[in-house]
Amino acid sequence: MKSAVETLNPTRVRLTVEVPFEELKPSLDAAYKKINQQVTVPGFRKGKIPARVIDQRFGRAAVLEEAVNDALPRFYTQAVDAGKIEVLGQPDITDIAGVEHLADGGDLKFTAEVDIRPEITLPEFAGIEVTVDAVEVTDEDIDASLEQLRERFSSVKAVERAAADGDVVVVDLEAKVDGEVPEDGTATAVSYEIGSGRLLDGIDEAVIGVEAGGTATFTTELKGGTQAGQEAEVTVTVTAVQEKELPELDDEFAQLASEFDTLEELREDSRKRLARMKEFDQATQAQERVLEALLEQVEMPFPEKLLADEIETRKHNLEHHQLAQMGLDLETWLKTQDKTVEEFEQETEDQAKKGIKTQFVLDQIAADEELSVSQEELTEHLIRRAAGSGLSPDQFAQQIVQGGQVPLLVGEVVRGKALALVVEAAKVVDTEGNAVDFEDDEDADAETVEATAEATESAEGDTEA
């Protein structure tokens, strides 16, 4: 076999392949054998039909077509290996020539165009500088945390008065769009805390001052259901008004809500817990900002076909999975997001480019640093991903294996390690000017993997490659 590589642009090449008949002979023999097992000819046992009879009954062209279909992937792969090309996705195979002459011992010729990974020049990681929020826990933070804890242990009691801010009301709702009540336009016995903002815009103003048995009407934009994005006239009927009762913030509450005996011990534990959370958030922020700074310093052309496929995949996932579950079409959803089609198209392209670029840059770092993934690291990452999916580690692992997604999982881990190297080398300071060092923070390194996986989510170049 002879092959040649022609560079069409920095991200696409054309392979020209010429295969002599001698090398095609095994595929031709395999084609006769396959057809032999599939057809029946009177007077011959299945699998024992002579080649000349197959040619006479079914045509030489059918045999040649089967042989070529078997041979093309194999010789394409050989040409890729010979040219030491790192291809992306499936090739476009064209200009297949010589098939009609194979019966006479002629050569087979074909060309294949395919995307390739672009060459990337990486910056000096030590030159990357980012600023992150300082880790500071104030008394106000602790007070807010304890207030949330009090809310969890709160109770309600019915009151005979008008509803006020902070009360819990039980309401029935009826929405009309253009004077008609849609199929999903009613709801009954809905419990709602006034001021929480968890229901419809405008409902707080409507129910404040209304007693049990009273009604109010307000106009709002529906956020979900079949009429999402439409303006509706909503009638709300208050069936009960309940007042929240919070426990006193004292030692007795500390014993009720925690393993501590005193409120002071609970406050100190809250301070430590909030500090750990802020350190965790600081590490995540550092990873995101270092990655952004790294990507900004890398110029890279995008493979056209890969980018187009990635954009289409993102649109498909949004429309047929996320929006379908919400019962919305794209046009309605765009109205709820106050976006134009053009803005959506541009955002999708930008997200696709960021995902592809993130993957390529971190893959390049991993290759340069010869990073690998141990079984322990893969298992730890699998457990973390399983926790986020709601499945047990065994269930998640089975799903990954059955879906052939193990290489994708390995890619997430190795890219996480690549980003960790960049974060360690970069200069990270907080808003107070203090240097932040994550080199010995195992939790931060583990979270780096998760942050990187999220940044590269849905970028399919690695899977196709």
Side-chain angles (χ1 to χ4, degrees), residues 4-9 11-17 76 80 85 87-95 110-116 304-305:
V5 180
E6 177 187 356
T7 300
L8 302 178
N9 60 51
T11 62
R12 195 164 179 83
V13 297
R14 177 186 292 131
L15 293 167
T16 303
V17 184
Y76 163 74
V80 167
I85 305 168
V87 300
L88 300 168
Q90 299 300 316
D92 295 322
I93 296 180
T94 58
D95 301 329
F110 67 91
T111 61
E113 292 188 10
V114 65
D115 284 342
I116 60 172
E304 292 182 8
K305 188 174 185 301

Side-chain angles (χ1 to χ4, degrees), residues 24-25 27-36 50-70 99 102-103:
L24 281 168
K25 185 71 166 55
S27 293
L28 202 58
D29 294 340
Y32 277 114
K33 184 175 181 180
K34 182 176 181 180
I35 294 174
N36 231 313
R52 58 180 176 77
V53 175
I54 291 177
D55 290 346
Q56 292 169 358
R57 293 294 298 268
F58 305 101
R60 178 73 162 172
V63 180
L64 296 177
E65 181 180 358
E66 182 64 40
V68 170
N69 288 340
D70 173 74
V99 177
L102 291 180

Side-chain angles (χ1 to χ4, degrees), residues 307 310-311 314-315 318 333-334 337-355:
L307 178 58
E310 174 61 17
I311 291 173
R314 288 173 180 266
K315 290 181 179 178
L318 175 65
W333 179 75
L334 288 176
Q337 301 298 307
D338 195 25
K339 292 180 183 177
T340 65
V341 174
E342 292 73 18
E343 289 172 336
F344 167 70
E345 295 279 355
Q346 186 60 56
E347 284 183 10
T348 305
E349 181 178 338
D350 292 343
Q351 291 167 359
K353 284 184 173 180
K354 181 180 179 182

